[in-house]
Amino acid sequence: MNNLLNQLPCPALITNASGNVLAVNTDLLTLIGGTTEQWLEKPMELFFPPASRIFLQTHVWPMLYREESVHEIYLKISNAQGLRIPVMVNCQKGHFKSVDGYFWVFFVALERSKFESELLEARKRAEVSATALSERESFVKNITDAMPGLVSYWDHDLRCRFANKAYWAWYGKQPDTMIGHTLLELMGEHFYSRNEAHIRSALAGKMQTFEATLNKAEGGICFTLTNCIPDVDAQGMVIGCFVLVSDVSHIKSAERELRLAASVFESTIEGIMVTDAQGIILSVNPAFSEITGYPAEEAIGHTPHILKSNRHDPAFYAAVWQDVASKGRWEGETWNRRKNGEVYLEWQSITIIRSSADEPIRYVSVFNDITEFWQKDERMRHLAFHDSLTNLPNRTLLIERLGQLIAMTERTQRNVTLMFLDLDGFKAVNDNLGHDIGDELLQIVAQKLLEQVRLADTVARLGGDEFVILLDNPANKEEVARIAARIIATVNIPMNIGGKSASVGVSIGIAMHPTDGHTTAQLIKSADTAMYAAKEAGKNTYRFFNPTMTAKIKA
């Protein structure tokens, strides 16, 4: 098959349905560099720069899967020197070694012009040949008329000697009304003056390739790519020129779309990743590299598994891909990992691209790094449930945790104890040493309280100099008493704050569930009552709640 490919006068290759190279001819290797062995089984996307690669993945392949062929698609290919060469791409689905294959042919502008000029030269020889060459002449004429572009021949006086069917149809004329007329008569003064220099250069022996505009017979102007090729006789004299004109208006439009797509792909702040149906990464944009830390060359060819954070279980991913398969799209929050190991949160959408047979052929992931926003939200949630001075849980979080523990006692046997603390002598510290010293003292007391309880217990600040300790399943009343005694002892130790000594005591009221209350409100009230009883007993001590305390308060 390689021998057959090498007989073609232009770059060509064969790929499978996934775009991996099965065969490649020498003309293409000359253009892109490398050897056949180096390119076999490699993805053909590697031939193209990013913009053309994305267009190939999102437009050309879906069209191939749907229609089994594409014609005259404008792309750019990266040659061996790193230059981006414009090519016209044609592809046809067929069979290669008993499997579905895709046969690709690339026309480079200069090579295409050479190929078409050879056909025109063959036509000229046929016109001056004897009758024996009439069949060949007819054959060449049919090929020329079948060309999609405008093909003509002009002598040294710029009179038309030949024009193909597309040429005279373009200008809305019949062949006999064109032959012998000058180029000026055909084009008009305005367009002739804009193209004359190129025509004169071709008649001077210099091949010309240029873009121009032409009037259409039905009105309007189109963009064209024109090749003027000198016709040199046996004596080396230029006797005329071949003019090959292609309507590239649709290519210009596609080029604008490509530039726009490339601009969006390259400049968007959202990370973009394109994979094939097996999840192999085909393309990523600069924002992907900036967010993940993976350069394109390190990501392409791998799977998105390189970003896995291990923060989601298999059920999460199963639900994601179930949505993609059934709805064609999924979006939501995902934890991923950067190249440096840092875990980050992203808002991600995954979209499926299907073939005409409704089979998935590409997946496109677009994502934003929302870690900073998440951290701000977490901070706001933290502030809503914690005291801003001591960072301890506030009343709201205390009541929530107390309610949870009370609910657990309905299912399992466990003790729940609430300790209500009020500092003795704190007002004197504030008045004599200042509020700054008072605030720092509260922070030190909060740390002391945390050191006297377990991680399962809760230390909360209700405000001012009031604290509450929630003990989760203490062994018995005696253990609670020991904890209260330790707390009083540690709080009584004088504190050096900014070079100044500050001392406070603490009165503690204790309520136990369920004897002192069945609800959160009842327990807090009972502990508060017991705390006041401790103060009446001389302060800096603790008291367990009993019903007679309430009777005394009411009295």
Side-chain angles (χ1 to χ4, degrees):
M1 178 59 74
N2 279 343
N3 289 334
L4 293 176
L5 286 179
N6 289 333
Q7 293 179 18
L8 295 175
C10 55
L13 80 156
I14 303 172
T15 71
N16 61 16
S18 297
N20 294 326
V21 176
L22 302 178
V24 58
N25 75 347
T26 54
D27 279 9
L28 183 56
L29 292 175
T30 301
L31 179 63
I32 64 175
T35 65
T36 300
E37 291 73 22
Q38 290 174 337
W39 283 109
L40 286 180
E41 300 302 323
K42 295 292 180 61
M44 68 175 291
E45 281 87 350
L46 297 178
F47 302 163
F48 302 95
S52 291
R53 188 180 304 164
I54 293 301
F55 193 82
L56 181 72
Q57 295 162 358
T58 58
H59 290 74
V60 178
W61 274 110
M63 189 185 303
L64 270 176
Y65 291 134
R66 185 172 59 253
E67 300 176 9
E68 299 189 348
S69 66
V70 295
H71 301 286
E72 300 295 287
I73 300 296
Y74 178 85
L75 294 175
K76 290 186 178 180
I77 222 171
S78 297
N79 70 1
Q81 290 74 41
L83 300 178
R84 298 180 178 184
I85 306 301
V87 295
M88 299 298 292
V89 179
N90 296 270
C91 183
Q92 178 68 48
K93 182 180 179 182
H95 292 282
F96 177 73
K97 295 183 178 180
S98 301
V99 298
D100 288 341
Y102 291 83
F103 295 75
W104 301 80
V105 177
F106 304 91
F107 283 111
V108 181
L110 294 179
E111 294 174 348
R112 182 171 182 173
S113 299
K114 179 180 177 182
F115 178 67
E116 292 174 337
S117 67
E118 289 174 355
L119 291 175
L120 286 173
E121 288 174 351
R123 168 133 189 192
K124 181 184 175 184
R125 288 195 300 270
E127 288 180 337
V128 298
S129 296
T131 306
L133 299 177
S134 60
E135 289 186 2
R136 180 177 176 83
E137 176 185 0
S138 176
F139 175 74
V140 174
K141 181 179 182 302
N142 289 337
I143 291 179
T144 307
D145 284 341
M147 288 183 178
L150 283 63
V151 182
S152 62
Y153 180 85
W154 303 81
D155 63 20
H156 208 279
D157 296 325
L158 291 183
R159 290 189 179 275
C160 182
R161 296 307 175 191
F162 167 76
N164 71 341
K165 183 177 180 180
Y167 208 114
W168 49 262
W170 179 286
Y171 286 101
K173 298 181 179 296
Q174 294 300 316
D176 56 353
T177 63
M178 290 186 63
I179 304 303
H181 285 270
T182 66
L183 189 60
L184 174 59
E185 292 171 340
L186 183 66
M187 299 187 71
E189 181 66 35
H190 175 69
F191 286 100
Y192 177 79
S193 62
R194 295 177 61 179
N195 294 276
E196 182 181 13
H198 296 290
I199 302 295
R200 295 297 180 188
S201 294
L203 292 176
K206 300 176 182 178
M207 188 174 71
Q208 301 288 298
T209 300
F210 59 94
E211 293 184 0
T213 55
L214 285 179
N215 282 326
K216 284 189 171 183
E218 67 271 19
I221 297 175
C222 72
F223 294 95
T224 61
L225 176 65
T226 302
N227 294 276
C228 299
I229 304 164
D231 181 22
V232 182
D233 65 11
Q235 288 72 42
M237 299 296 293
V238 178
I239 58 175
C241 68
F242 302 99
V243 178
L244 314 172
V245 182
S246 297
D247 181 356
V248 294
S249 298
H250 65 292
I251 296 176
K252 284 289 185 181
S253 177
E255 194 174 39
R256 286 193 296 270
E257 291 182 9
L258 275 175
R259 283 197 297 268
L260 177 60
S263 175
V264 172
F265 186 78
E266 294 291 327
S267 62
T268 181
I269 62 173
E270 297 176 314
I272 301 175
M273 172 177 63
V274 181
T275 75
D276 64 13
Q278 287 70 47
I280 303 300
I281 299 174
L282 301 175
S283 184
V284 298
N285 72 337
F288 171 96
S289 299
E290 183 176 346
I291 294 172
T292 67
Y294 284 97
E297 59 271 18
E298 292 185 17
I300 293 173
H302 294 276
T303 70
H305 187 80
I306 61 175
L307 305 174
K308 191 174 181 180
S309 68
N310 294 321
R311 286 202 176 187
H312 301 292
D313 57 21
F316 170 82
Y317 294 107
V320 169
W321 289 108
Q322 175 61 34
D323 272 6
V324 173
S326 61
K327 303 175 183 177
R329 178 183 173 85
W330 175 87
E331 63 179 353
E333 292 182 351
T334 307
W335 286 99
N336 272 335
R337 190 180 302 276
R338 306 186 210 276
K339 182 181 177 181
N340 64 8
E342 178 186 348
V343 174
Y344 67 98
L345 182 65
E346 65 182 25
W347 182 265
Q348 180 185 28
S349 69
I350 303 174
T351 304
I352 190 171
I353 298 177
R354 297 183 179 275
S355 68
S356 58
D358 204 33
E359 294 293 330
I361 56 174
R362 296 288 186 270
Y363 295 100
V364 179
S365 169
V366 180
F367 59 91
N368 285 315
D369 183 348
I370 60 171
T371 310
E372 183 177 349
F373 297 105
W374 176 81
Q375 290 171 341
K376 290 180 180 178
D377 289 343
E378 287 295 297
R379 178 61 181 165
M380 293 299 293
R381 283 192 288 269
H382 181 83
L383 291 176
F385 293 98
H386 291 79
D387 172 51
S388 60
L389 177 63
T390 62
N391 206 35
L392 294 176
N394 61 13
R395 178 183 292 272
T396 302
L397 185 54
L398 169 70
I399 291 175
E400 179 182 323
R401 291 183 179 178
L402 178 56
Q404 290 173 350
L405 288 180
I406 291 175
M408 291 172 64
T409 63
E410 297 176 1
R411 299 187 297 272
T412 58
Q413 175 62 39
R414 68 191 307 116
N415 297 320
V416 177
T417 299
L418 196 70
M419 306 174 73
F420 202 114
L421 289 70
D422 186 89
L423 300 184
D424 301 322
F426 177 72
K427 184 177 184 301
V429 173
N430 262 347
D431 292 342
N432 297 327
L433 302 181
H435 289 282
D436 290 343
I437 298 296
D439 287 347
E440 192 166 345
L441 183 145
L442 291 173
Q443 292 172 338
I444 294 173
V445 169
Q447 186 59 40
K448 286 185 174 185
L449 298 179
L450 287 171
E451 292 171 355
Q452 299 304 315
V453 298
R454 303 162 301 172
L455 291 177
D457 302 324
T458 297
V459 179
R461 179 183 177 225
L462 302 189
D465 59 353
E466 293 182 338
F467 295 85
V468 171
I469 296 177
L470 174 61
L471 300 178
D472 179 13
N473 202 24
N476 47 46
K477 190 173 183 178
E478 288 72 22
E479 181 184 3
V480 174
R482 285 194 296 271
I483 294 172
R486 289 202 310 266
I487 289 173
I488 293 172
T490 191
V491 171
N492 283 173
I493 298 173
M495 291 162 267
N496 189 316
I497 304 173
K500 299 177 181 180
S501 179
S503 298
V504 293
V506 59
S507 297
I508 305 175
I510 304 170
M512 303 184 73
H513 177 276
T515 56
D516 302 331
H518 292 274
T519 67
T520 57
Q522 290 171 349
L523 278 177
I524 292 174
K525 182 178 179 181
S526 296
D528 184 49
T529 300
M531 183 271 295
Y532 278 107
K535 284 189 176 291
E536 289 177 359
K539 300 181 180 180
N540 207 34
T541 186
Y542 65 87
R543 288 289 183 271
F544 284 90
F545 174 80
N546 67 67
T548 62
M549 294 176 179
T550 304
K552 289 180 181 179
I553 292 175
K554 288 181 178 179

